[in-house]
Amino acid sequence: MDDRWAPVLNELRERFAADTDVVEVEAYLSAKGYDRRQIGEILSLLYSDNAPSPTWGGADSEREPSLRVQGPHERGRFTTDAWGYLITLYASGAVTLNDFEQLVERALVHVDGRITLADVRALADDVGLDDGAMGGERPLIH
């Protein structure tokens, strides 16, 4: 853990219960003058410390972690819709964590500039994933 955030994390743990909505904590940090990057870093540290440890041998242990945070090299490249679509594919079980990472990597390598929802859908379609895997309807093209 980054020692510079230790006093802030301690203050947040004293002020908020563990089940407090993240939006409320984010609003508090914003009011204290922290920028979006700092708030993201603080929340990541706060909730990673409070996260329950995985149980071994149960059905939950077979599922990969459900939170994927963008790396610095990804933040400016993906549009919100494109990243949300990727997260939805993973959360729905349509792709494994390994497949998710491969889609992200392919998008970063093959798309110049900003990566849009259309770009990600095209890449997902190339590997056999489509909206049908998530229960959506695809238009029939003759």
Side-chain angles (χ1 to χ4, degrees):
M1 174 176 29
D2 194 342
D3 290 335
R4 67 187 171 131
W5 296 123
V8 176
L9 294 172
N10 289 335
E11 176 188 354
L12 292 174
R13 288 187 187 106
E14 290 173 11
R15 183 174 181 87
F16 298 101
D19 62 345
T20 302
D21 188 10
V22 69
V23 174
E24 188 177 333
V25 179
E26 184 177 6
Y28 175 77
L29 290 170
S30 181
K32 295 282 267 179
Y34 294 102
D35 63 32
R36 288 186 70 188
R37 183 190 58 77
Q38 292 171 324
I39 291 172
E41 190 174 343
I42 292 168
L43 291 176
S44 174
L45 291 170
L46 178 67
Y47 287 104
S48 68
D49 288 346
N50 288 337
S53 59
T55 56
W56 297 104
D60 292 337
S61 66
E62 295 173 12
R63 183 81 171 134
E64 291 93 1
S66 61
L67 178 64
R68 168 58 161 79
V69 180
Q70 289 179 327
H73 63 291
E74 300 165 340
R75 282 191 195 118
R77 296 285 311 276
F78 287 90
T79 63
T80 305
D81 291 344
W83 189 256
Y85 180 75
L86 285 168
I87 296 295
T88 303
L89 282 174
Y90 174 68
S92 71
V95 298
T96 65
L97 184 58
N98 187 36
D99 294 336
F100 176 89
E101 293 298 333
Q102 287 182 359
L103 279 172
V104 169
E105 190 62 31
R106 285 186 70 190
L108 291 170
V109 170
H110 294 290
V111 178
D112 291 330
R114 197 95 160 122
I115 300 167
T116 66
L117 177 59
D119 297 327
V120 173
R121 282 189 169 165
L123 289 170
D125 195 39
D126 287 346
V127 295
L129 301 170
D130 60 10
D131 291 336
M134 298 187 330
E137 291 280 331
R138 286 193 78 131
L140 181 59
I141 299 175
H142 295 281

